[in-house]
Amino acid sequence: MQFKLFYASKNKLRILEYHSISTNGFADQITIKKETLIAQFEYLKVNKYQTLWLSDVETMLKNKQSLPSKSIVLTFDDGFLDNYTELYPLLKEYDFKAVLFVVLGKIGQKIDWGGKFINENDNMRLMNRVQLDTIGTHIELGYHTFKHDNYALLSLIEIESDLKLCQEVIDKENLNVFPALAYAYGGYYRKRGHEQKAFFDLLKKYGIRYGLRIGNRINVFPLKNQYEIQRIDIRGGDRFEVFKKKVRLGRKKLF
């Protein structure tokens, strides 16, 4: 049983990971049906979970404050158009906050991870610059690499080039992006040692203060390692009971 279960509520930080939202009943590993997401939001609201931005978490860290007893960070990767058309209105309705990790070199484009479009549906397009501005009342932006590369498969030189390109887009488009990076595919230099230290030093060099992996565990607050923050993967096929257990317990192996 993971030891984090025994920490006080004020020491637990749950970070949920989502991607795309469908309105046609389709669901898969990264796509959740809108009605399923609504049911999950209802559960969080009824059970008095407080949604936070990562900038809120940082403020609490700096001020040595405790977390609210039921703190949760909702994160969405990539920047799908449906996060604008479906998620943003829901966040306003529930008065929730979320963090959107943007593929900065693909703003407004069709998704072509690996050189192929996922499909021809316009909803598989990413949000454009105007839409990214519009959602700012409820959604905080973060980094999700320049073109959705897996950093675990890149050299440090290639990663530095990617970070430079990200910064160029942010400067050119005058985007307000919080310095947190969600590793695409959850990929980063996992093995402790010289190379991992060099990787983390590179993130620091480019102003990235937080790195988010997957891991499926609840974080202990204050955060021990800001570049290995864990998220809980919420999949479109999860039964509602599984979702509730993930929120309460984190790691799927417990059930």
Side-chain angles (χ1 to χ4, degrees):
M1 183 171 289
Q2 65 170 318
F3 69 93
K4 295 181 181 65
L5 293 177
F6 302 105
Y7 279 78
S9 296
K10 65 182 181 180
N11 297 115
K12 294 177 181 178
L13 179 62
R14 297 162 172 84
I15 304 180
L16 307 187
E17 177 192 13
Y18 295 89
H19 291 78
S20 181
I21 302 161
S22 73
T23 57
N24 61 3
F26 178 74
D28 65 4
Q29 180 171 333
I30 68 165
T31 310
I32 189 169
K33 293 185 287 187
K34 184 177 180 180
E35 55 265 37
T36 301
L37 185 63
I38 290 172
Q40 293 178 359
F41 278 12
E42 278 291 324
Y43 173 81
L44 297 177
K45 179 181 178 180
V46 168
N47 287 277
K48 302 186 185 306
Y49 281 91
Q50 182 171 335
T51 59
L52 302 174
W53 283 336
L54 289 172
S55 58
D56 296 327
V57 175
E58 181 176 67
T59 298
M60 292 174 191
L61 279 168
K62 287 182 175 179
N63 294 334
K64 297 182 179 179
Q65 296 173 292
S66 297
L67 291 170
S69 61
K70 287 188 173 181
S71 298
I72 200 159
V73 179
L74 306 174
T75 70
F76 289 76
D77 286 3
D78 303 327
F80 288 92
L81 178 59
D82 56 55
N83 288 186
Y84 173 74
T85 59
E86 311 305 329
L87 171 64
Y88 178 51
L90 286 177
L91 293 173
K92 289 192 290 184
E93 178 182 344
Y94 284 88
D95 195 24
F96 281 179
K97 295 179 176 181
V99 180
L100 177 69
F101 292 105
V102 183
V103 182
L104 289 156
K106 300 290 185 179
I107 293 172
Q109 298 180 26
K110 279 191 173 182
I111 296 171
D112 61 348
W113 312 156
K116 295 180 180 179
F117 296 133
I118 295 177
N119 60 40
E120 295 301 320
N121 185 337
D122 278 345
N123 275 346
M124 300 316 287
R125 187 178 291 274
L126 301 177
M127 274 187 263
N128 62 34
R129 176 67 182 81
V130 174
Q131 291 160 343
L132 290 173
D133 256 352
T134 303
I135 62 177
T137 55
H138 288 74
I139 298 179
E140 179 173 73
L141 304 184
Y143 293 69
H144 199 44
T145 78
F146 182 72
K147 55 181 173 48
H148 207 266
D149 280 328
N150 185 339
Y151 277 3
L153 305 179
L154 301 184
S155 67
L156 290 172
I157 292 173
E158 291 170 321
I159 293 170
E160 180 160 21
S161 176
D162 188 271
L163 292 169
K164 282 181 180 177
L165 289 169
C166 287
Q167 195 57 56
E168 287 173 7
V169 171
I170 291 170
D171 293 342
K172 179 182 176 182
E173 300 294 340
N174 194 29
L175 286 169
N176 183 18
V177 182
F178 184 74
L181 164 69
Y183 306 124
Y185 306 103
Y188 71 107
Y189 282 34
R190 292 174 178 268
K191 187 176 180 180
R192 301 191 187 281
H194 173 75
E195 282 196 334
Q196 187 189 73
K197 182 181 183 304
F199 171 66
F200 291 159
D201 286 344
L202 191 56
L203 297 183
K204 289 179 187 176
K205 177 180 175 180
Y206 283 88
I208 304 294
R209 296 200 290 272
Y210 304 94
L212 287 83
R213 49 174 292 192
I214 302 176
N216 287 308
R217 297 193 183 202
I218 296 169
N219 298 284
V220 174
F221 188 86
L223 301 167
K224 183 178 179 181
N225 187 331
Q226 71 266 36
Y227 294 122
E228 293 185 294
I229 298 171
Q230 301 201 56
R231 295 192 290 170
I232 300 165
D233 182 21
I234 305 299
R235 301 188 175 191
D238 286 345
R239 291 178 292 106
F240 190 56
E241 289 302 315
V242 170
F243 167 77
K244 291 193 292 184
K245 288 178 180 177
K246 284 185 176 182
V247 170
R248 293 195 342 260
L249 306 175
R251 193 175 184 183
K252 291 178 288 186
K253 288 183 180 178
L254 286 173
F255 45 91

